[in-house]
Amino acid sequence: AQSVTQLGSHVSVSEGALVLLRCNYSSSVPPYLFWYVQYPNQGLQLLLKYTTGATLVKGINGFEAEFKKSETSFHLTKPSAHMSDAAEYFCAVSVTGGGNKLTFGTGTQLKVEL
Amino acid sequence: EAQVTQNPRYLITVTGKKLTVTCSQNMNHEYMSWYRQDPGLGLRQIYYSMNVEVTDKGDVPEGYKVSRKEKRNFPLILESPSPNQTSLYFCASSYRGLDNSPLHFGNGTRLTVT
């Protein structure tokens, strides 16, 4: 079975600073990896996904993530935080033949300060 | 506009009073799923459906029922709600099921059972 661990339930950065949200996965077969963002009182929306191919994936709003198989990681980064990035971020994993199951991490709340 | 619509957005009820949360998608997606979101636990899958008349249990199905009589609708039924079902519920859909297909989420239903 696959699983995801998000390190840090709360992360605080200054506006303009680097954003780094950590995600490690566990899977016995090649994974599909996703980052979703949840703004207050809204559902989750897809930021980016890794399926196959290029390991550096670019998403919306300037976010990107790098799939590192050797480290079983899929950390989310953004070079310069903006106030509008304040939200909760979820990493998720699925696998081919995994019973159509998407497994979510517990989420990281990002706070952006002036 | 492509969307997943849940109703109601907020619901307060009492223990044992049957309720239904509706979910409808207009994207002709085959796959639909229900999740509950609880602080510190992330999103956990309740039930999912691969297509009309095909449903299966997720991680936390106890106390819930679903049906999929039409492709666009996937209601969540709580026949005898209990306080431990107080949570934020999300309906989601995707084309052809998970694996590498991202989920589209509704805006959520906040349920309080007293």
Side-chain angles (χ1 to χ4, degrees):
Chain A
Q2 65 266 26
S3 66
V4 165
T5 301
Q6 290 184 243
L7 297 173
S9 58
H10 292 82
V11 170
S12 184
V13 301
S14 299
E15 192 174 34
L18 171 72
V19 175
L20 171 60
L21 304 183
R22 299 179 186 274
C23 172
N24 288 90
Y25 70 91
S26 174
S27 170
S28 57
V29 297
Y32 301 119
L33 294 159
F34 306 81
W35 275 100
Y36 286 85
V37 60
Q38 184 181 28
Y39 298 104
N41 298 315
Q42 293 186 26
L44 282 72
Q45 61 186 84
L46 182 70
L47 266 181
L48 50 81
K49 68 174 183 179
Y50 168 79
T51 53
T52 58
T55 56
L56 182 62
V57 180
K58 295 187 185 299
I60 61 172
N61 301 338
F63 284 93
E64 62 182 36
E66 187 171 9
F67 171 63
K68 291 188 175 180
K69 184 179 178 181
S70 60
E71 298 177 9
T72 61
S73 68
F74 191 57
H75 302 331
L76 182 70
T77 61
K78 182 175 180 178
S80 177
H82 191 271
M83 295 296 289
S84 61
D85 295 326
E88 189 157 21
Y89 292 80
F90 292 92
C91 184
V93 62
S94 69
V95 298
T96 301
N100 300 284
K101 182 175 175 60
L102 186 64
T103 301
F104 285 87
T106 53
T108 297
Q109 187 72 44
L110 176 66
K111 182 178 180 182
V112 182
E113 299 174 316
L114 286 171
Chain B
E1 181 189 353
Q3 58 186 3
V4 177
T5 303
Q6 293 178 230
N7 281 297
R9 288 294 306 273
Y10 300 92
L11 180 57
I12 300 174
T13 190
V14 296
T15 299
K17 186 175 181 181
K18 181 179 178 179
L19 66 91
T20 300
V21 183
T22 64
C23 173
S24 179
Q25 51 91 7
N26 63 0
M27 296 168 278
N28 202 36
H29 283 168
E30 292 163 349
Y31 180 93
M32 298 186 75
S33 182
W34 278 101
Y35 289 84
R36 60 178 288 174
Q37 183 180 12
D38 301 289
L41 296 177
L43 282 84
R44 294 177 292 168
Q45 190 180 51
I46 303 171
Y47 269 95
Y48 65 94
S49 170
M50 291 297 295
N51 214 323
V52 176
E53 301 293 359
V54 180
T55 63
D56 210 344
K57 296 177 180 179
D59 294 319
V60 288
E62 294 78 20
Y64 304 95
K65 284 177 57 177
V66 293
S67 68
R68 188 90 181 273
K69 294 184 171 58
E70 307 164 281
K71 197 171 188 178
R72 63 183 294 127
N73 296 323
F74 191 46
L76 179 69
I77 303 156
L78 284 71
E79 298 232 329
S80 183
S82 62
N84 64 12
Q85 293 178 298
T86 292
S87 186
L88 179 58
Y89 291 87
F90 288 101
C91 180
S93 70
S94 72
Y95 177 60
R96 282 194 298 179
L98 284 176
D99 294 357
N100 62 356
S101 300
L103 287 171
H104 298 257
F105 283 84
N107 283 334
T109 296
R110 187 168 292 280
L111 172 65
T112 301
V113 183
T114 60

